[in-house]
Amino acid sequence: MKLIKGEFKEKLELLYAPSIKAGFPSPAEDYLSESLDFNRDLIKHPEATFYAEVDGDSMTGLGINPGDIAVIDKSLEPAHGDIIVSYINEEFNIKQLDLTHQKEGYIELRSYNPKYPTFRINEDDHFRVWGVVVYTIKKWK
């Protein structure tokens, strides 16, 4: 993963719609005037937020694909089921955190592609949670 710290350098002046319907649009939605500011709307802890480009296909089953941008908040306490960026055995990776077996002395990092295993992490592994993924931004073309 290629990690990038900081804010988006340019404010994106995008038309902001509170929701997008997949049916017929409402004529009232032609008069929207708010703009989307990623720094204001997506980033709750700017000093602890990083971006990383996803490299690899181990999370495609959750819709996290190569080239997507992960928005990672290092200030959040990871919880069971969170998508996390971890540093394990000197390598960054993105996986789902499974704390089901914590009382038994290990946790699991789940991949969402049948080509990849679930990783069992115990106290002998050099492991730490680097941050919690709060959003992913998709690249369509």
Side-chain angles (χ1 to χ4, degrees):
M1 299 185 87
K2 194 173 12 169
L3 300 172
I4 308 162
K5 182 179 179 1
E7 298 180 345
F8 285 92
K9 295 300 178 194
E10 297 177 25
K11 183 177 178 182
L12 298 177
E13 290 294 332
L14 301 175
L15 185 60
Y16 173 69
S19 65
I20 303 291
K21 295 182 179 32
F24 293 102
S26 165
E29 291 175 356
D30 289 340
Y31 300 99
L32 296 173
S33 60
E34 263 188 85
S35 64
L36 176 64
D37 179 345
F38 283 132
N39 297 312
R40 177 194 70 215
D41 300 332
L42 301 183
I43 311 305
K44 302 300 178 210
H45 307 107
E47 66 286 348
T49 299
F50 290 75
Y51 309 96
E53 183 176 341
V54 176
D55 180 26
D57 61 353
S58 70
M59 298 300 284
T60 56
L62 287 181
I64 302 172
N65 299 309
D68 288 354
I69 302 296
V71 180
I72 306 153
D73 190 331
K74 289 185 67 172
S75 70
L76 297 177
E77 186 70 30
H80 175 75
D82 282 347
I83 304 302
I84 62 165
V85 172
S86 65
Y87 191 71
I88 179 166
N89 300 327
E90 302 186 29
E91 191 173 286
F92 284 104
N93 65 64
I94 183 170
K95 300 284 181 266
Q96 185 181 46
L97 180 62
D98 183 342
L99 300 176
T100 306
H101 303 284
Q102 197 168 16
K103 289 181 181 176
E104 299 162 41
Y106 68 95
I107 62 171
E108 293 181 331
L109 299 178
R110 298 203 171 279
S111 300
Y112 277 84
N113 183 330
K115 294 187 330 187
Y116 299 97
T118 293
F119 296 96
R120 185 175 174 162
I121 308 299
N122 59 45
E123 62 185 36
D124 296 331
D125 290 303
H126 179 72
F127 169 81
R128 78 179 175 142
V129 174
W130 196 78
V132 176
V133 176
V134 291
Y135 291 98
T136 54
I137 302 169
K138 304 208 82 47
K139 183 175 183 176
W140 290 99
K141 65 177 185 173

